[in-house]
Each structure stands twice: as C-alpha cells, then as structure tokens.
Amino acid sequence: AEPDYSVLTPFSDASEITGENRGAIAALCSKNLIQGSGGALNVNDNITRAEFLTILYRVASNYISAGALTSGASGGNVLKGSGS
C-alpha cells in the first residue's frame, strides 16, 4: 500500500526527501516512529546516537510477544522471542 504522504506536509524540509526515501520516511512518520525536530526532519544531517536509540526504542515497543498472538492473527506482525 502507498503510504500517506500528507504526514510529511508539516515538515519544512519535506521537499528535500529523495524519491526512493519518501515512502519509507512517510511510513515512519505515520507511525510516529520519527517526529522531526523544530518543524523539520533534518534529512540532510547525520543522525545522532540518541536519535537512533529513540527510534529503536519506539520500534521495539511495537513488537508483539509471540505468546500474545491468537490463531486469527494476520500478516504484518513483528514478533519477539522464538515465535513457537
């Protein structure tokens, strides 16, 4: 599915996002995994360790424990643990 590109509108540097990265960044923004700083995504800057760890923490908090899944679970789930 195409991501919602309108989530990039609030960021002053959204026009600087290259085509191949636009979809991925829009998907990350729509899930609030990246939120920018000072009204910009700072797409041409290096990411700091603190920024990386913040994103990693947000991604990890979305994991679903394998034991919490039911037989009706559909695709698109990220599992932690063995999955058995």
Side-chain angles (χ1 to χ4, degrees):
E2 284 290 313
D4 177 12
Y5 292 108
S6 68
V7 298
L8 300 176
T9 304
F11 301 105
S12 61
D13 58 349
S15 64
E16 298 176 35
I17 302 170
T18 57
E20 61 268 10
N21 296 322
R22 195 166 187 77
I25 292 174
L28 291 168
C29 286
S30 69
K31 298 290 185 184
N32 290 319
L33 297 175
I34 58 174
Q35 299 171 351
S37 175
L41 290 168
N42 303 315
V43 296
N44 293 316
D45 292 343
N46 292 324
I47 189 170
T48 66
R49 287 181 292 212
E51 290 167 336
F52 175 78
L53 289 174
T54 298
I55 294 168
L56 185 61
Y57 176 79
R58 289 175 183 159
V59 169
S61 68
N62 286 304
Y63 278 31
I64 300 170
S65 171
L69 292 177
T70 64
S71 60
S74 61
N77 296 313
V78 177
L79 302 176
K80 62 182 175 183
S82 67
S84 60

